[in-house]
PDB file of all heavy atoms in Angstrom:
ATOM      1  N   GLN J 188     -46.444 -29.883  56.659  1.00 76.00           N
ATOM      2  CA  GLN J 188     -46.541 -29.296  57.970  1.00 76.00           C
ATOM      3  C   GLN J 188     -45.213 -29.457  58.692  1.00 76.00           C
ATOM      4  O   GLN J 188     -44.526 -30.447  58.513  1.00 76.00           O
ATOM      5  CB  GLN J 188     -47.595 -30.034  58.812  1.00 76.00           C
ATOM      6  CG  GLN J 188     -49.000 -29.866  58.330  1.00 76.00           C
ATOM      7  CD  GLN J 188     -49.990 -30.592  59.221  1.00 76.00           C
ATOM      8  OE1 GLN J 188     -49.877 -31.805  59.408  1.00 76.00           O
ATOM      9  NE2 GLN J 188     -50.915 -29.867  59.767  1.00 76.00           N
ATOM     10  N   PHE J 189     -44.865 -28.478  59.483  1.00 76.00           N
ATOM     11  CA  PHE J 189     -43.739 -28.673  60.401  1.00 76.00           C
ATOM     12  C   PHE J 189     -44.291 -29.465  61.555  1.00 76.00           C
ATOM     13  O   PHE J 189     -45.228 -29.037  62.203  1.00 76.00           O
ATOM     14  CB  PHE J 189     -43.234 -27.325  60.880  1.00 76.00           C
ATOM     15  CG  PHE J 189     -42.622 -26.545  59.793  1.00 76.00           C
ATOM     16  CD1 PHE J 189     -43.311 -25.491  59.195  1.00 76.00           C
ATOM     17  CD2 PHE J 189     -41.351 -26.897  59.312  1.00 76.00           C
ATOM     18  CE1 PHE J 189     -42.749 -24.799  58.148  1.00 76.00           C
ATOM     19  CE2 PHE J 189     -40.783 -26.197  58.254  1.00 76.00           C
ATOM     20  CZ  PHE J 189     -41.498 -25.146  57.679  1.00 76.00           C
ATOM     21  N   ARG J 190     -43.752 -30.594  61.776  1.00 83.00           N
ATOM     22  CA  ARG J 190     -44.402 -31.474  62.778  1.00 83.00           C
ATOM     23  C   ARG J 190     -43.342 -32.240  63.579  1.00 83.00           C
ATOM     24  O   ARG J 190     -42.193 -32.327  63.162  1.00 83.00           O
ATOM     25  CB  ARG J 190     -45.290 -32.462  62.074  1.00 83.00           C
ATOM     26  CG  ARG J 190     -44.460 -33.323  61.119  1.00 83.00           C
ATOM     27  CD  ARG J 190     -45.262 -33.964  60.046  1.00 83.00           C
ATOM     28  NE  ARG J 190     -44.389 -34.364  58.963  1.00 83.00           N
ATOM     29  CZ  ARG J 190     -44.683 -34.242  57.694  1.00 83.00           C
ATOM     30  NH1 ARG J 190     -45.796 -33.733  57.305  1.00 83.00           N
ATOM     31  NH2 ARG J 190     -43.825 -34.654  56.792  1.00 83.00           N
ATOM     32  N   ASN J 191     -43.804 -32.781  64.638  1.00 86.00           N
ATOM     33  CA  ASN J 191     -42.889 -33.612  65.467  1.00 86.00           C
ATOM     34  C   ASN J 191     -43.069 -35.061  65.139  1.00 86.00           C
ATOM     35  O   ASN J 191     -42.107 -35.838  65.273  1.00 86.00           O
ATOM     36  CB  ASN J 191     -43.157 -33.362  66.947  1.00 86.00           C
ATOM     37  CG  ASN J 191     -42.656 -32.017  67.351  1.00 86.00           C
ATOM     38  OD1 ASN J 191     -42.734 -31.061  66.594  1.00 86.00           O
ATOM     39  ND2 ASN J 191     -42.101 -31.923  68.542  1.00 86.00           N
ATOM     40  N   SER J 192     -44.267 -35.469  64.818  1.00 91.00           N
ATOM     41  CA  SER J 192     -44.446 -36.888  64.463  1.00 91.00           C
ATOM     42  C   SER J 192     -45.595 -37.038  63.522  1.00 91.00           C
ATOM     43  O   SER J 192     -46.512 -36.202  63.456  1.00 91.00           O
ATOM     44  CB  SER J 192     -44.719 -37.686  65.768  1.00 91.00           C
ATOM     45  OG  SER J 192     -46.011 -37.342  66.257  1.00 91.00           O
ATOM     46  N   ILE J 193     -45.537 -38.114  62.742  1.00 93.00           N
ATOM     47  CA  ILE J 193     -46.662 -38.433  61.830  1.00 93.00           C
ATOM     48  C   ILE J 193     -46.780 -39.947  61.851  1.00 93.00           C
ATOM     49  O   ILE J 193     -45.774 -40.670  61.790  1.00 93.00           O
ATOM     50  CB  ILE J 193     -46.404 -37.860  60.421  1.00 93.00           C
ATOM     51  CG1 ILE J 193     -47.572 -38.138  59.497  1.00 93.00           C
ATOM     52  CG2 ILE J 193     -45.098 -38.337  59.822  1.00 93.00           C
ATOM     53  CD1 ILE J 193     -47.546 -37.253  58.253  1.00 93.00           C
ATOM     54  N   LYS J 194     -47.982 -40.441  62.004  1.00 94.00           N
ATOM     55  CA  LYS J 194     -48.133 -41.891  61.974  1.00 94.00           C
ATOM     56  C   LYS J 194     -49.451 -42.242  61.253  1.00 94.00           C
ATOM     57  O   LYS J 194     -50.424 -41.482  61.287  1.00 94.00           O
ATOM     58  CB  LYS J 194     -48.087 -42.507  63.373  1.00 94.00           C
ATOM     59  CG  LYS J 194     -49.218 -42.163  64.250  1.00 94.00           C
ATOM     60  CD  LYS J 194     -49.104 -42.905  65.606  1.00 94.00           C
ATOM     61  CE  LYS J 194     -50.415 -42.608  66.341  1.00 94.00           C
ATOM     62  NZ  LYS J 194     -50.380 -42.650  67.761  1.00 94.00           N
ATOM     63  N   TYR J 195     -49.396 -43.368  60.585  1.00 95.00           N
ATOM     64  CA  TYR J 195     -50.595 -43.797  59.846  1.00 95.00           C
ATOM     65  C   TYR J 195     -50.920 -45.203  60.266  1.00 95.00           C
ATOM     66  O   TYR J 195     -50.059 -46.037  60.369  1.00 95.00           O
ATOM     67  CB  TYR J 195     -50.284 -43.756  58.313  1.00 95.00           C
ATOM     68  CG  TYR J 195     -51.448 -44.283  57.506  1.00 95.00           C
ATOM     69  CD1 TYR J 195     -52.568 -43.524  57.315  1.00 95.00           C
ATOM     70  CD2 TYR J 195     -51.425 -45.591  57.028  1.00 95.00           C
ATOM     71  CE1 TYR J 195     -53.659 -44.033  56.603  1.00 95.00           C
ATOM     72  CE2 TYR J 195     -52.489 -46.075  56.309  1.00 95.00           C
ATOM     73  CZ  TYR J 195     -53.617 -45.314  56.106  1.00 95.00           C
ATOM     74  OH  TYR J 195     -54.691 -45.807  55.410  1.00 95.00           O
TER      75      TYR J 195
END
Side-chain angles (χ1 to χ4, degrees):
Q188 293 181 302
F189 293 103
R190 60 201 160 218
N191 287 36
S192 70
I193 182 163
K194 69 176 186 206
Y195 175 78

